[in-house]
Amino acid sequence: MRILPSATLAALIAAGLATVARAEERPRIRDLGIAPGILSPGPLNAITDVGGVRVGHNTVIEGEAVRTGVTAILPHSGNLFQDKVEAAVFVANAFGKAAGFLQVQELGTIETPIVLTNTLAVGAALEATVAWTLAQPGNEAVRSVNAVVGETNDGYLNDIRGQHIRPEHVLAAIAAASDGTVAEGSVGAGTGTRALGWKGGIGTSSRWLPASLGGYTVGALVQSNFGGVLTVDGVRVGEALGRFAFREQLTAPASTLDSGASPTDFGASPTDPDDRPPAGAGSCMIVLATDAPLSARSLERLASRALLGLGRAGSFIGHGSGDFVIAFSTTRRAGVAGADGSREVAALVDGDSLDPLFLAAIESVEEAVYNSLLRATTVRGRDGHIADAISIEALERLLARR
């Protein structure tokens, strides 16, 4: 595969950024006065608060039926293949088509950007990520690349069978990666996703630990596309607004609002049963970054805690949901072995010092899911299907009444 000319990549990036700008109008959860958890976020409250981490999107919207995209996460700005980061994968439910995860589990390192896209675009993403890696200066002799690609299925809104994501879209997302504010909602790999009854998407958050707890940062990025019962900072929003798993099979629950009010009293609109996925369907890709010097073993333990954050937001990790977590440390590099084949890299040992990091991962993932929902815009796509953005006004009224 050839690498596209810079002018072509620039055009693709610009097209993606135009869509990103439209998503900037909606608030994040903290803009509503809600601060989930007890730890403080970093300055950007994003995965990019972890030094060196960069994120790029390419949003692909064409005609009436193409609603998809690519999101790329780069652990650092150097040669990732030559300067691998220690990493781990945790699988909650393996109903997914992820690529490259087995080698990460076996060797405990990541050597390429982490690319998120739709289910049937994994092949194109692999092709592009391998080509990008081979083209990096210093990789002229490389003959084996373990590209890491995750996915969720956006086929309700997107003409997924058309396989509209091509390698050039992936290269544009990688080229667009930056270490600043991360666009969220209906952008990149979150363009066509749905979550917890509403439009889902890309969301991010971070937690900074004070010196007394280690002084480290943990950041999370999610591609939300799953079912369940939305809970926002303890408030049972999905039930109150009438969108939750198994609603048709259950007797309408008593209102959690103490007034017997109906969902429409709080801005909810009746939902067509055909407009909802099966109760537990969908997936969630979660990427965790930290500057804590964690070994692959400790990173796997950190990754497993991310699922508690997903649960706080309302997921029950259903049968048809592909839920995967990738975690990496920016300060644990594979490096170059000495003459005797050994290397020495400092790492936190398993113990109580990991507990604040575990909590940081949980809180970051929980808030990232909220941000993915709040920042998402209503999207109309394939066959006229619509995924409504959650009503900010209805959510504010519910949260104000608790």
Side-chain angles (χ1 to χ4, degrees):
M1 191 201 85
R2 66 186 180 91
I3 300 296
L4 289 178
S6 58
T8 304
L9 282 175
L12 285 166
I13 293 169
L17 290 178
T19 303
V20 167
R22 292 196 295 271
E24 295 298 315
E25 300 170 2
R26 286 173 59 88
R28 306 179 85 193
I29 189 67
R30 287 179 185 260
D31 296 330
L32 304 186
I34 302 299
I38 61 172
L39 299 174
S40 298
L44 298 173
N45 195 11
I47 194 171
T48 47
D49 283 323
V50 179
V53 176
R54 297 184 294 152
V55 176
H57 300 299
N58 187 242
T59 301
V60 183
I61 296 178
E62 299 171 359
E64 300 297 322
V66 179
R67 305 288 185 269
T68 191
V70 181
T71 295
I73 301 95
L74 280 66
H76 62 75
S77 59
N79 187 319
L80 289 164
F81 188 90
Q82 301 296 337
D83 195 9
K84 300 172 175 58
V85 295
E86 201 128 351
V89 169
F90 189 83
V91 181
N93 196 65
F95 200 105
K97 287 74 186 171
F101 285 19
L102 285 178
Q103 183 170 307
V104 176
Q105 288 180 316
E106 183 70 19
L107 302 184
T109 58
I110 286 177
E111 60 192 30
T112 72
I114 299 163
V115 174
L116 307 180
T117 187
N118 77 56
T119 304
L120 298 187
V122 171
L126 278 171
E127 181 182 356
T129 306
V130 168
W132 182 88
T133 301
L134 294 176
Q136 299 307 296
N139 291 351
E140 291 79 8
V142 171
R143 285 173 173 76
S144 174
V145 176
N146 184 52
V148 177
V149 181
E151 54 78 28
T152 70
N153 194 310
D154 58 14
Y156 182 80
L157 292 172
N158 175 49
D159 173 28
I160 194 169
R161 287 175 57 87
Q163 296 183 275
H164 300 280
I165 293 294
R166 305 312 310 150
E168 53 264 31
H169 296 117
V170 181
L171 294 173
I174 296 173
S178 72
D179 58 2
T181 301
V182 178
E184 297 170 290
S186 307
V187 297
T191 301
T193 64
R194 297 184 297 166
L196 297 161
W198 286 273
K199 180 68 184 70
I202 297 295
T204 189
S205 183
S206 70
R207 290 296 183 272
W208 170 81
L209 300 179
S212 59
L213 293 176
Y216 302 114
T217 300
V218 175
L221 182 142
V222 304
Q223 178 191 19
S224 64
N225 191 47
F226 58 92
V229 185
L230 175 61
T231 300
V232 177
D233 201 32
V235 177
R236 292 156 61 178
V237 171
E239 291 174 83
L241 296 185
R243 296 194 184 190
F244 56 92
F246 312 119
R247 179 186 176 195
E248 287 72 39
Q249 294 85 2
L250 297 172
T251 303
S255 172
T256 60
L257 304 176
D258 76 39
S259 64
S262 70
T264 54
D265 292 334
F266 290 87
S269 58
T271 304
D272 182 347
D274 293 333
D275 191 37
R276 288 190 295 273
S283 299
C284 191
M285 288 298 311
I286 302 171
V287 180
L288 288 178
T290 184
D291 55 10
L294 300 184
S295 67
R297 168 183 163 77
S298 295
L299 284 166
E300 183 177 11
R301 298 185 68 202
L302 185 76
S304 71
R305 270 61 178 186
L307 298 207
L308 296 177
L310 207 60
R312 283 187 179 186
S315 169
F316 55 85
I317 306 177
H319 162 75
S321 190
D323 300 292
F324 298 85
V325 188
I326 306 169
F328 62 86
S329 167
T330 59
T331 54
R332 280 278 294 187
R333 306 288 181 85
V336 178
D340 62 353
S342 67
R343 63 185 176 90
E344 185 174 342
V345 184
L348 290 177
V349 298
D350 284 355
D352 293 344
S353 61
L354 296 183
D355 285 348
L357 295 166
F358 291 163
L359 179 59
I362 294 166
E363 291 187 4
S364 295
V365 171
E366 177 190 12
E367 186 166 348
V369 172
Y370 300 152
N371 287 335
S372 75
L373 289 165
L374 269 68
R375 295 289 273 176
T377 52
T378 296
V379 172
R380 178 188 293 269
R382 180 182 65 85
D383 296 333
H385 292 168
I386 297 175
D388 297 323
I390 192 168
S391 168
I392 300 299
E393 294 77 12
L395 184 57
E396 285 183 306
R397 288 197 292 272
L398 283 171
L399 296 175
R401 291 195 56 166
R402 69 172 170 179

